[in-house]
Every structure is written in C-alpha cells, then in structure tokens.
C-alpha cells in the first residue's frame, strides 16, 4: 500500500494515484522519471532495473500510461532493451479513460552513434518510433532508421536541440511527455529550461561504486524546486518536484 505523507497524510487508492500523477492540461508538460539508490546511484551494472521496487514500478507505469509519448536517450534505450510500449488490459483501460491514444510512441534522442538501424526500439515497436537527431548524423543512417519504420526528425546542426525535440513533440500533438533518461538527455533538458516536473524514487539500497548521477552535462545555476508530494510504501520514498518557470 502506498500512502502520502506530505502535504497531507492519507492512504492512496488507484484513483488517487492516477490523479496525483496525471499530466496537467497545459499544451506541454515534461516530467522526468528516475530511480536512485539511497546513496545516489541510478544504475547497477549499467541498468536501472536492479534498483526498481514495487512502489517505483507503480509510478513508472503511471508515467507511461498517462503520457502522450515516452522520451528516452538512445543509450538508455539500448541498455534497457526498450521495445516500445505494449499496454496490458489495465493500462489500455487507463489510457482510454483519460482520452489517450491506445499506445504511446517512444521518442529516441541520438547523435547517431548509439542507435543502430535495427535497434529493438525501432524494429519491435508497436507504433512508429520517433527518432530525433542532428544534421551531423550520416544521411544513410537516417535513411536506414526510416526504412525500418521510424519517423526521423532533424533538430539541430552539430548537436540535437533539446528545445527543438520538445517543440516538435508538442507540434505533433504529443505534449504530455514522460522522459525516462538517461543522464545526458536529462542534463540537456535542464539546460534548455523545458523540464516541468521531476519524479524521483529513492530506493532502499546502498550501491557505492561509480554509477552515474541522474543528470550530467553543462553546469547551470542552481534553481529551487517546489516539493509537490511525498509518498512511501514503508521502504521506498517517492518524490515529486515542480520546476518553477
């Protein structure tokens, strides 16, 4: 059972969780999701799955189910074996109740080097994957992504423009964006000032080692966040922060 401990202590039913994690009616809302060990690691042997807990999987699924699109970096898509969204009966019902398309597409951000043409996120996706890259990516690679079923967007010259990715998704009618990393993508979104919400699960593990942090990239001036909610199942802590604009 997940309960809210702030701003008001209460037990949460499925309906309460859906209302808490639903996306606002804004034309654009970008929520970033991460799970972290208590000592700050976001992966174990390069993957986040070992850190995920039952409570984290509940809110992770809510992020998928209630979004128009799932945004992910190519490195994370490959490391985690992304194959696109395949809603089960419960997820399909949730998407129907919230007036969403039956299946959310995946949007992958890549420089080109880390996304082969036969990546599972392209070839095994139930709906066409959106690939965002820059003009520096070889034209033959862009053609190969498209030949395998992806919709390819060039946003930026030497590097992918995070702002261009988000504005293109909004123009495509995919304004409720669930970003699932990785750290470089998250860092670029922070730099571009397009993150609206940060959802962090603190899992009850100590990892040590040299695992990455949630966001990497150019440094930005520290900006204060607004704590929106704190939940727990008695082991994990589920935090939601809003980013003031």
């Amino acid at each position: 059972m997940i309960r809210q401990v702030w701003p008001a202590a209460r037990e949460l039913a499925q309906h309460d969780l859906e209302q808490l994690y639903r996306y606002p009616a804004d034309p654009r809302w970008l929520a970033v999701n991460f799970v972290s060990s208590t000592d700050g690691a976001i992966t174990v042997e390069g993957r986040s799955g070992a850190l995920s807990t039952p409570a984290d999987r509940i809110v992770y699924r809510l992020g998928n189910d209630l979004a128009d699109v799932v945004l992910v970096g190519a490195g994370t898509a490959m490391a985690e074996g992304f194959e696109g969204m395949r809603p089960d009966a419960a997820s399909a019902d949730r998407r129907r109740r919230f007036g969403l398309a039956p299946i959310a597409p995946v949007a992958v951000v890549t420089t080109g080097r880390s996304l082969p043409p036969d990546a599972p996120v392209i070839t095994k996706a139930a709906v066409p994957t959106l690939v965002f890259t820059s003009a520096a990516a070889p034209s033959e690679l862009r053609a190969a992504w498209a030949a395998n079923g992806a919709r390819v967007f060039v946003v930026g010259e030497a590097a992918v423009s995070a702002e261009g990715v988000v504005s293109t998704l909004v123009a495509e009618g995919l304004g409720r964006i669930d970003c699932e990393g990785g750290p470089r993508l998250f860092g670029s979104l922070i730099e571009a000032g397009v993150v609206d919400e940060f959802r962090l699960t603190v899992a009850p593990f100590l990892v040590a080692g040299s695992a990455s942090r949630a966001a990497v990239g150019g440094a930005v001036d520290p900006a204060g966040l607004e704590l929106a909610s704190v939940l727990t199942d008695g082991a994990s802590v589920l935090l939601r922060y809003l980013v003031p604009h």
Side-chain angles (χ1 to χ4, degrees), residues 65-68 94-103 176:
D65 289 353
L66 298 175
D68 291 317
R94 179 178 286 153
R95 293 186 66 81
R96 179 190 56 77
R97 286 188 286 107
F98 280 84
L100 296 163
I103 300 175
R176 289 166 287 197

Side-chain angles (χ1 to χ4, degrees), residues 30 69 71-72 107-110 130-133 153-156 160-172 174 177 185 188-189 194:
L30 194 158
V69 62
L71 176 64
V72 65
V108 183
V109 177
T110 181
L130 288 68
V131 174
F132 287 90
T133 192
F153 299 85
V154 175
V155 287
V160 180
S161 163
E163 187 173 6
V165 171
V166 173
S167 62
T168 301
L169 290 174
V170 172
E172 291 285 319
L174 304 172
I177 305 167
L185 175 57
S188 70
L189 295 169
V194 294

Side-chain angles (χ1 to χ4, degrees), residues 198-222:
F198 181 38
R199 301 170 176 178
L200 175 65
T201 297
V202 180
F205 304 113
L206 294 175
V207 174
S210 58
S212 178
R213 56 188 292 178
V216 297
V220 298
D221 290 335

Side-chain angles (χ1 to χ4, degrees), residues 1-21:
M1 174 66 71
I2 295 178
R3 65 183 183 276
Q4 180 174 284
V5 297
W6 193 90
R10 60 180 178 138
E11 300 292 333
L12 298 176
Q14 175 179 292
H15 170 78
D16 301 314
L17 285 167
E18 289 177 342
Q19 294 305 312
L20 198 61
Y21 281 86

